[in-house]
Amino acid sequence: MADTWPRTHRQWLIADRPNGRPLKDSDFELVTRDIRAPEAGEVVLRTHWLGFDPAQKGWMENVGGYVAATNIGDVMPGSGIGSVMASEHPKFAVGDIVAGRFGWQEFPTVAGDELERISDPEMATARLGVLGTTGMTAYFGLLRVGKPQAGDTVVVSGAAGATGSVVGQIAKIAGCRVVGIAGGAEKCRWIVDECGFDAAIDYKAENVRDRLGELCPDGIDVVFDNVGGVILNDMLAKIAMHARVVICGGISRYTLGKMPAGPENYFNLIFMRATMQGFIVLDWVSEYPMARRRMAAWIREGRVRTREDVQEGFENAPRTLMRLFAGENLGKQLLQVG
């Protein structure tokens, strides 16, 4: 391999399982290892960006079973953007910019078949957010599970997050009235002033159930929940007839350090003839190219706006993930590796 780049690199490993509690520094171990030369079908990458999602804590816990199980000592899984430094794969050349799930490591050696080339470097970080799994989650969760109709009232929890903010904007494109629930005045201003939500509820300063009653007098047609717990319970109390409740995530589970109690108002699903459905976005992976084209067009047209919360330094990867659970990020959480 070339002498112009290092022979060793740093990796973050899983050191403990954070089951039933919040993340802490000792859940991760920083190690230095040799960079492995690529074998047939592999490439060596220089990691430029890492993306962060609440689901990563669940991967450490081996919750859900929809991704490969992790072991103590494994490289921490996660998505990134990198450039090809050496290639033994016919589809990739040195200098190509690629996206993939290659984990928290500076110079990963990975199978080329697991990577996607990014044709527009200016949109590279968008592949970790609005054009990546985050945006696809918003797109398919709302349109395929929530099935919004023009004139519907849509309420989104975790509305200032990378997924929730895009859900609300797609709902506006679909002709809906959108209310977002977020934590803090700055986040509430952003989703209304920049993302075009019709109203916002600051759960840190307002009574969520009372405000839902004021803002949604005819009930909620589509609930898109990223939080769970008490806020989901408050939304279920205000659903309209034939409402669709979309269960995307449950960040309150991570914040509380335990599974929250089941919603007290689930019987409203019966009274209002409503449905509640969870989903995993991987069910629509074959349709990602179509959804990305539509999303990219909406971005160019100014109909979808995004925001990135950028931290810096590979050594700060664990703390960057923890920001999600403290509600410190505004928009997609990214780390610029160096």
Side-chain angles (χ1 to χ4, degrees):
M1 295 197 298
D3 294 330
T4 56
W5 42 287
R7 296 183 179 276
T8 62
H9 71 139
R10 293 177 295 175
Q11 300 173 322
W12 279 105
L13 309 182
I14 299 173
D16 200 357
R17 298 203 185 280
N19 297 75
R21 59 169 175 79
L23 288 167
K24 55 186 180 181
D25 292 339
S26 59
D27 292 328
F28 307 92
E29 179 186 5
L30 183 62
V31 299
T32 300
R33 290 178 174 168
D34 289 341
I35 299 170
R36 184 172 63 81
E39 299 177 358
E42 293 185 325
V43 300
V44 178
L45 304 175
R46 179 193 292 270
T47 301
H48 298 297
W49 298 88
L50 292 173
F52 296 82
D53 298 289
Q56 288 173 271
K57 183 175 186 289
W59 301 345
M60 297 173 71
E61 298 168 330
N62 282 339
V63 172
Y66 64 93
V67 296
T70 60
N71 297 300
I72 301 299
D74 283 353
V75 173
M76 178 64 193
S79 297
I81 302 293
S83 56
V84 176
M85 303 297 292
S87 176
E88 293 296 333
H89 192 286
K91 293 184 180 179
F92 297 101
V94 171
D96 284 348
I97 305 299
V98 299
R101 187 173 289 178
F102 42 78
W104 293 6
Q105 41 189 341
E106 291 178 299
F107 287 87
T109 303
V110 297
D113 289 344
E114 297 176 0
L115 303 172
E116 293 184 74
R117 183 186 289 104
I118 296 175
S119 58
D120 183 359
E122 293 184 359
M123 297 286 282
T125 56
R127 287 299 298 271
L128 297 175
V130 67
L131 297 182
T133 302
T134 301
M136 299 302 95
T137 298
Y139 183 95
F140 291 106
L142 178 67
L143 298 181
R144 296 296 175 81
V145 184
K147 301 175 181 176
Q149 301 294 317
D152 279 351
T153 293
V154 177
V155 175
V156 186
S157 65
T163 298
S165 60
V166 176
V167 169
Q169 294 177 82
I170 296 175
K172 290 299 296 181
I173 292 170
C176 301
R177 182 172 177 273
V178 182
V179 177
I181 302 172
E186 181 185 5
K187 291 183 177 182
C188 288
R189 280 194 300 270
W190 180 64
I191 62 175
V192 172
D193 295 344
E194 297 294 326
C195 298
F197 284 52
D198 294 283
I201 300 171
D202 181 355
Y203 73 82
K204 292 183 177 181
E206 300 179 278
N207 183 293
V208 172
R209 191 175 301 194
D210 288 348
R211 287 291 285 148
L212 285 172
E214 296 167 4
L215 294 169
C216 310
D218 297 321
I220 306 168
D221 299 293
V222 180
V223 167
F224 196 102
D225 183 44
N226 295 297
V227 175
V230 174
I231 288 179
L232 172 59
N233 195 45
D234 288 343
M235 292 187 291
L236 286 176
K238 302 297 182 180
I239 56 175
M241 190 70 70
H242 303 298
R244 286 82 68 199
V245 180
V246 184
I247 304 298
C248 177
I251 201 167
S252 66
R253 179 177 75 86
Y254 304 127
T255 304
L256 291 170
K258 61 181 180 180
M259 289 294 290
E264 299 171 6
N265 292 319
Y266 78 94
F267 244 69
N268 237 15
L269 298 169
I270 298 173
F271 301 145
M272 305 308 289
R273 290 77 155 176
T275 59
M276 183 161 66
Q277 180 179 340
F279 73 99
I280 297 295
V281 71
L282 298 176
D283 293 343
W284 293 282
V285 68
S286 64
E287 298 183 59
Y288 283 9
M290 172 276 297
R292 285 191 178 117
R293 287 193 296 271
R294 293 191 74 186
M295 197 79 75
W298 289 337
I299 294 170
R300 287 192 295 269
E301 294 164 1
R303 304 177 77 185
V304 170
R305 298 188 179 187
T306 63
R307 187 163 176 172
E308 296 174 343
D309 185 312
V310 179
Q311 302 298 299
E312 296 183 356
F314 184 73
E315 64 280 2
N316 294 319
R319 285 291 176 178
T320 303
L321 179 60
M322 293 177 196
R323 287 174 59 83
L324 297 175
F325 306 104
E328 295 175 353
N329 65 301
L330 180 53
K332 178 65 183 182
Q333 184 67 72
L334 302 176
L335 177 73
Q336 189 169 13
V337 172

